[in-house]
Amino acid sequence: MGFPSEGPVLEGTLVRLEPLGHRHAADLAEAAEEHRDSYAFTWVPRADRVGEYVDAQLARAGTGMLAPYAQISLASGRAVGATAYWEPRCWRTEDRLDAVEVGFTWLASSAQGTGVNAESKFLLFRHAFEVWDVSRVDLKTDARNTRSRAAIERTGARLEGVLRNWSRSWAPGEDGLLRDSAVYSVTATEWPACRDRLAARVRRAAGAAAEPVA
């Protein structure tokens, strides 16, 4: 079982997740160039490579192994980053999705810490657990990426371990090298507590965004 050619639109109070397309390229090019210090271990294209980035993600989507999304800020109406479902796994029957990964995530510098990431995770996890009825959701990141690991841990996901030389490195100057990957997960039994935790974070962020500027 693979992902459909185009995933469902998922909308919250801060962010709308739309299936990624070239219509998002101009916004993503601007988002990717705001401030790049947090992208040391993450695949974030330069502005002039965004078209190739979208093509690569759509090619992966064509295999049924990826469902890529643009993250649309509801405050601005602009794409501020990207994320995806990745590697659907069916262990029991061919038509029952048992596990999925959430990954390929990045956000513009100005969108980081605003609640957009928390709500994106909430929407993706909720759809996976409550619509697809998966048993687990995985998240992976470069083991050296302390910023990403902290963000994953704030979702309530649990560290399962570090897999050595597990996947390609996206760090500058490491083309052709492999990285150690820190692997996290949320299981179906853990989802209710994780859901409440993420929902509370989104409410706090939405409340802060609504406060008038003095």
Side-chain angles (χ1 to χ4, degrees), residues 24-37 39-40 42-54 106 170 172:
H24 302 116
D27 285 353
L28 292 178
E30 184 174 331
E33 294 294 341
E34 280 187 2
H35 190 63
R36 296 184 62 88
D37 284 357
Y39 302 152
T42 306
W43 181 33
V44 181
R46 302 302 308 224
D48 61 351
R49 305 294 294 275
V50 167
E52 297 173 30
Y53 168 86
V54 174
W106 63 272
W170 298 103

Side-chain angles (χ1 to χ4, degrees), residues 60-214:
R60 289 184 174 93
T63 70
M65 294 300 291
L66 185 79
Y69 284 94
Q71 301 186 73
I72 312 298
S73 165
L74 294 182
S76 67
R78 297 176 63 84
V80 294
T83 190
Y85 287 119
W86 174 235
E87 290 193 340
R89 277 152 287 152
C90 304
W91 294 315
R92 287 174 284 190
T93 65
E94 292 183 357
D95 59 355
R96 163 69 187 274
L97 188 60
D98 290 304
V100 68
E101 182 176 336
V102 170
F104 288 100
T105 300
W106 63 272
L107 277 173
S109 176
S110 62
Q112 295 173 20
T114 64
V116 166
N117 180 59
E119 187 166 49
S120 290
K121 294 296 191 296
F122 174 83
L123 295 170
L124 292 166
F125 290 5
R126 184 177 66 180
H127 190 81
F129 284 116
E130 299 181 10
V131 178
W132 290 336
D133 195 28
V134 301
S135 294
R136 62 177 281 141
V137 170
D138 310 336
L139 303 99
K140 292 199 298 284
T141 190
D142 192 305
R144 300 168 294 180
N145 193 342
T146 56
R147 183 188 184 103
S148 177
R149 292 180 67 165
I152 290 172
E153 289 165 6
R154 285 195 296 272
T155 69
R158 295 176 60 180
L159 176 67
E160 294 191 331
V162 174
L163 301 179
R164 297 177 297 168
N165 291 341
W166 181 251
S167 58
R168 68 172 291 182
S169 174
W170 298 103
E174 294 187 359
D175 290 348
L177 299 181
L178 298 175
R179 75 180 195 189
D180 293 350
S181 292
V183 180
Y184 293 80
S185 70
V186 179
T187 66
T189 56
E190 295 165 347
W191 166 236
C194 178
R195 178 186 57 209
D196 292 346
R197 180 174 183 165
L198 284 170
R201 287 180 59 196
V202 172
R203 286 194 298 271
R204 289 195 298 271
E211 290 179 0
V213 178

